[in-house]
Amino acid sequence: MKQKILNMLKNGKDFISGEEISKEFHMTRAAIWKYINALKEDGYNIESVPSKGYKIISLPDILTLEEVEPYLDTSFIGRNIKYFDTIDSTNKKAKEIAFDENEGTVVISEEQTEGKGRLGRHWVSPKGKGIWMSIILKPKVDPIKVSKITLLGAAAVHKALKNMNIESQIKWPNDILIDGKKICGILTEMNCELNMINYVVMGIGINVNFNQEDIPVDLKDKAMSIKISKDIEINRKELLGNIINEFEKLYIDFRDKKTISKAIKVCRESSALIGKEVRIIKGEEETLGKVLDINEEGELVVEFQDGTVDNIYSGEVSVRGLNGYI
Ligand code: ADP
């Protein structure tokens, strides 16, 4: 009911009287008052004037389905949003519910208390300052192909930023950079049988409206936010809608036509690594090489110091610049 009253207020151009609302939903004035107060508690700024009724003055900066839906043009991704004010980790939640939810369900939280990067590393996720989300997917492809989904996510984030006139670079396979520093990380996890995927969870964390003080001191040399870089507050709902829209297009190609070539093109054109000398870190092992390309399979093509050229499958490697993050 709260949702229905909200929609009525959103659709009204001017004040909507208590009488109109009570007629529409057959409820008492006292009941309407209760719902209006609940909406105010959710962050909706609603003006009430005794002789006129109610009017929405401003919408809250929250990533609920109601607030994000106007920005979506997808057929299934993001049409079901499980929204949390706080949570340990959106990927963890998504994995818990994945068996029971349809493909395209998205878990979103305003903050994560135990956000995770790859290899169990901590991901900083302060309240209301970023986009912390996990998309549940159920592609009927060979589990071996799943790491490619990370590239679809990276390309979607890059394209979404571009739609909002924000330039970024993709650091294969799972990070997006602005000014050479990380504003977004992607963590793809899956649950599978021998040759069948039960589900994939793609976590995307984006530092949107962080101020300098929101970045922990030890991350200052490698983390950045869109707001810090561009000096403007970003509309998180618009950015989220854009990402989901771009991702669905790329994902449908992958799922139905088994191709990721559009995403590869984006990852190549906006690569932070191609042409660079890098360190490839795998566990304790570190090798030096020069990145030549990203191939059609989504692998990183590296020429090592001894002249050999190899294709690196994203797996569990980390790529770093010779003297720093990149
Ligand atoms: P990488 O891809 O750089 O090897 P991961 O994808 O595993 O790293 O991401 C985790 C790492 O990212 C953490 O160890 C930390 O250094 C860094 N980090 C944590 N939170 C953030 C954040 N909000 N923004 C940017 N970097 C972060």
Side-chain angles (χ1 to χ4, degrees):
M1 184 50 69
K2 188 169 85 175
Q3 189 49 42
K4 287 184 177 155
I5 294 177
L6 176 61
N7 285 341
M8 191 170 175
L9 292 177
K10 274 187 174 177
N11 293 331
K13 300 250 166 336
D14 201 353
F15 281 91
I16 308 259
S17 70
E19 198 185 336
E20 281 174 77
I21 304 176
S22 85
K23 262 196 195 149
E24 178 80 22
F25 302 119
H26 310 288
M27 58 167 63
T28 63
R29 297 297 178 90
I32 297 173
W33 184 240
K34 208 182 78 199
Y35 285 117
I36 296 284
N37 276 336
L39 285 169
K40 284 183 178 169
E41 260 171 41
D42 290 346
Y44 291 89
N45 184 357
I46 299 171
E47 192 181 347
S48 44
V49 176
S51 57
K52 294 183 174 171
Y54 305 100
K55 183 179 172 181
I56 293 193
I57 306 294
S58 65
L59 304 172
D61 177 24
I62 53 173
L63 301 177
T64 54
L65 179 61
E66 294 73 47
E67 290 306 309
V68 176
E69 213 164 24
Y71 296 94
L72 293 179
D73 64 17
T74 55
S75 63
F76 64 102
I77 301 187
R79 294 297 172 175
N80 180 21
I81 291 182
K82 302 280 178 200
Y83 174 80
F84 299 85
D85 186 48
T86 182
I87 204 169
D88 45 6
S89 140
T90 58
N91 262 31
K92 191 170 165 206
K93 187 65 177 183
K95 288 188 280 182
E96 275 166 30
I97 63 173
F99 274 112
D100 300 325
E101 295 293 336
N102 290 330
E103 174 161 80
T105 296
V106 177
V107 177
I108 294 185
S109 182
E110 294 296 342
E111 89 174 329
Q112 295 184 108
T113 53
E114 287 168 39
K116 290 274 178 293
R118 297 189 305 164
L119 305 166
R121 294 172 190 139
H122 180 61
W123 186 264
V124 176
S125 327
K127 196 164 203 163
K129 303 278 176 94
I131 293 175
W132 321 123
M133 69 156 158
S134 300
I135 308 175
I136 296 172
L137 301 164
K138 302 187 175 180
K140 292 190 174 48
V141 299
D142 196 317
I144 258 179
K145 303 238 152 80
V146 158
S147 65
K148 295 178 190 212
I149 292 180
T150 302
L151 300 179
L152 304 182
V157 174
H158 174 86
K159 288 182 84 175
L161 289 167
K162 205 173 179 110
N163 294 345
M164 293 173 71
N165 291 320
I166 300 165
E167 286 305 323
S168 65
Q169 283 192 303
I170 298 172
K171 177 173 168 284
W172 180 97
N174 69 322
D175 295 324
I176 308 291
L177 315 181
I178 292 183
D179 303 337
K181 296 181 183 180
K182 179 147 72 170
I183 59 125
C184 165
I186 299 173
L187 174 66
T188 309
E189 300 183 274
M190 77 166 153
N191 179 304
C192 67
E193 318 275 318
L194 203 53
N195 53 6
M196 191 189 85
I197 291 170
N198 294 322
Y199 62 79
V200 172
V201 162
M202 191 178 70
I204 303 183
I206 309 180
N207 307 339
V208 185
N209 289 324
F210 283 37
N211 296 313
Q212 278 293 0
E213 63 270 21
D214 298 314
I215 300 185
V217 177
D218 56 324
L219 292 184
K220 293 252 187 238
D221 59 341
K222 66 170 177 179
M224 171 54 78
S225 85
I226 308 173
K227 180 178 175 185
I228 295 171
S229 168
K230 303 293 158 207
D231 210 16
I232 43 164
E233 191 88 13
I234 302 295
N235 179 343
R236 292 187 308 150
K237 301 172 201 176
E238 185 184 353
L239 177 56
L240 176 58
N242 257 301
I243 293 171
I244 295 176
N245 294 341
E246 294 295 347
F247 181 73
E248 186 180 278
K249 286 187 253 172
L250 295 170
Y251 180 72
I252 287 175
D253 266 8
F254 169 73
R255 188 193 61 182
D256 300 347
K257 300 190 204 147
K258 309 279 179 274
T259 168
I260 56 164
S261 60
K262 283 187 194 140
I264 298 291
K265 188 165 180 274
V266 176
C267 291
R268 249 193 212 130
E269 284 172 359
S270 306
S271 171
L273 297 181
I274 294 176
K276 286 233 166 73
E277 306 280 344
V278 294
R279 293 178 287 141
I280 311 270
I281 304 161
K282 190 171 191 180
E284 299 285 286
E285 227 180 276
E286 190 173 309
T287 29
L288 301 185
K290 182 177 178 183
V291 177
L292 301 181
D293 199 3
I294 295 165
N295 69 18
E296 279 302 310
E297 293 301 311
E299 298 157 339
L300 197 69
V301 185
V302 179
E303 180 178 14
F304 289 97
Q305 281 190 324
D306 63 4
T308 56
V309 174
D310 209 353
N311 301 333
I312 300 179
Y313 154 84
S314 80
E316 303 280 62
V317 299
S318 295
V319 184
R320 293 283 181 272
L322 289 189
N323 304 309
Y325 182 58
I326 193 62

